[in-house]
Amino acid sequence: PLIKELFGLTQLEAELAAYLGVRQVIVVPGDADESDWVKKELGRAGARLLKQVSIPDQIVAVAGGSTIYAVAEMMMPTPALKMTTFVPTRGGLGEAVELEANYIASLMAKKTGGKYRLMHVPEQLSEESYQTLIREPHIREVLDCLRRARIVIHGVGDAKKMAIRRKSPPEVLKKLEESGAVGESFGYYFNRQGEIVHRVQTVGLQLQELTRVEKMIAVAGGASKAEAISSICSILSRDTLITDEGAARAILQKV
Ligand code: F6P
């Protein structure tokens, strides 16, 4: 807290919370675009918050990406976390294995001594195979577990960067560009007004199911994610945003 006062971060947190309409904003010093160390700090803040808000026998839904990976890396056992089940928010999205929600959920369980479930589903699904898969008993069970999640922790990405990272076909890239997509989360792409302009068909948590979740925690930093965070957080993550100074200043246009 003292360090935060010194850097004026407390003020920044309050301004950003009011601007985005998010209940709680935590800002760590620096810019994750410029240093990996800042991403580790985002991870530390995320791990600390999870530890503070956790209760025994809860389900935590975990998204993918390098920022949530950083959170997992910083987690440690606590009595409540040992009694927590970590579930991936969705199956693969076509990313490197260590960036996938499955892997990160298992890593959180390993770090805390908790339990985990996996969602073994392929990434690009036709409507037909999607309908078949969600009826599979094993998948249904994991989906049920996901729907009972008390906490959801997720990342936010720049729309174009995410589409490229997922090796989306040219027609998707074109659609995103034309529809003014700026941010991505949970496989949904949003424009500046926070409207969904595209979604990846995968098995997992659906956006409308998030309204039932008790605690939504978004973790995302770096000035390059400013637009993405603004487009998503005012709609999706009204609860808690953990970000860095770089993103916070860029959102508030204080650079
Ligand atoms: O692909 C999973 C995901 O959580 C996306 O929804 C999000 O846009 C992205 O990862 C964030 O990744 P990173 O933390 O590496 O920027």
Side-chain angles (χ1 to χ4, degrees):
L2 192 61
I3 293 280
K4 285 204 168 178
E5 296 291 339
L6 278 175
F7 286 104
L9 295 183
T10 316
Q11 174 70 19
L12 207 53
E13 286 171 344
E15 276 179 46
L16 196 56
Y19 180 79
L20 294 174
V22 172
R23 197 182 56 83
Q24 182 190 14
V25 174
I26 298 169
V27 176
V28 305
D31 185 323
D33 287 342
E34 280 156 28
S35 126
D36 259 0
W37 176 82
V38 178
K39 197 173 272 181
K40 289 205 171 79
E41 285 309 307
L42 286 169
R44 198 189 306 278
R48 190 183 306 130
L49 185 71
L50 268 181
K51 180 175 128 187
Q52 282 165 359
V53 301
S54 284
I55 58 170
D57 300 319
Q58 62 177 3
I59 294 167
V60 175
V62 182
S66 62
T67 316
I68 305 303
Y69 175 88
V71 174
E73 279 278 297
M74 293 292 179
M75 286 173 73
M76 275 187 280
T78 67
L81 288 171
K82 273 188 196 164
M83 295 171 78
T84 293
T85 304
F86 297 92
V87 192
T89 49
R90 46 195 57 249
L93 281 170
E95 299 202 61
V97 130
E98 65 278 7
L99 294 183
E100 279 192 1
N102 266 322
Y103 177 74
I104 297 172
S106 74
L107 183 61
M108 285 193 179
K110 189 176 152 200
K111 292 278 183 182
T112 58
K115 294 183 280 283
Y116 69 96
R117 306 298 311 264
L118 290 181
M119 193 131 54
H120 295 293
V121 289
E123 53 220 39
Q124 310 275 339
L125 290 172
S126 65
E127 185 60 29
E128 200 189 341
S129 16
Y130 174 80
Q131 292 302 339
T132 317
L133 258 174
I134 54 170
R135 269 185 238 115
E136 283 289 323
H138 163 78
I139 304 288
R140 276 178 71 160
E141 203 199 314
V142 185
L143 284 174
D144 277 349
C145 199
L146 206 45
R147 288 189 189 113
R148 284 183 283 120
R150 177 176 169 258
I151 301 177
V152 174
I153 182 155
H154 70 98
V156 172
D158 171 78
K160 192 170 176 198
K161 232 183 251 170
M162 284 313 299
I164 293 170
R165 191 161 102 186
R166 288 174 179 153
K167 301 177 194 68
S168 307
E171 57 273 21
V172 170
L173 289 174
K174 190 161 168 255
K175 178 181 171 195
L176 291 175
E177 180 116 34
E178 284 169 0
S179 57
V182 291
E184 190 280 349
S185 225
F186 302 101
Y188 292 84
Y189 289 83
F190 297 82
N191 65 12
R192 255 186 212 105
Q193 289 73 44
E195 294 154 351
I196 298 164
V197 291
H198 178 69
R199 63 170 294 200
V200 187
Q201 178 77 287
T202 53
V203 178
L205 212 56
Q206 306 300 307
L207 220 52
Q208 62 271 25
E209 289 166 345
L210 293 171
T211 48
R212 275 181 267 158
V213 174
E214 206 176 305
K215 250 194 161 345
M216 289 278 295
I217 306 172
V219 195
S224 64
K225 285 191 186 178
E227 280 204 300
I229 296 171
S230 309
S231 75
I232 286 165
C233 286
S234 44
I235 303 291
L236 214 67
S237 257
R238 294 239 166 112
D239 198 39
T240 309
L241 166 69
I242 300 177
T243 189
D244 61 18
E245 215 183 329
R249 291 196 192 282
I251 295 169
L252 298 168
Q253 280 153 7
K254 283 192 166 182
V255 243

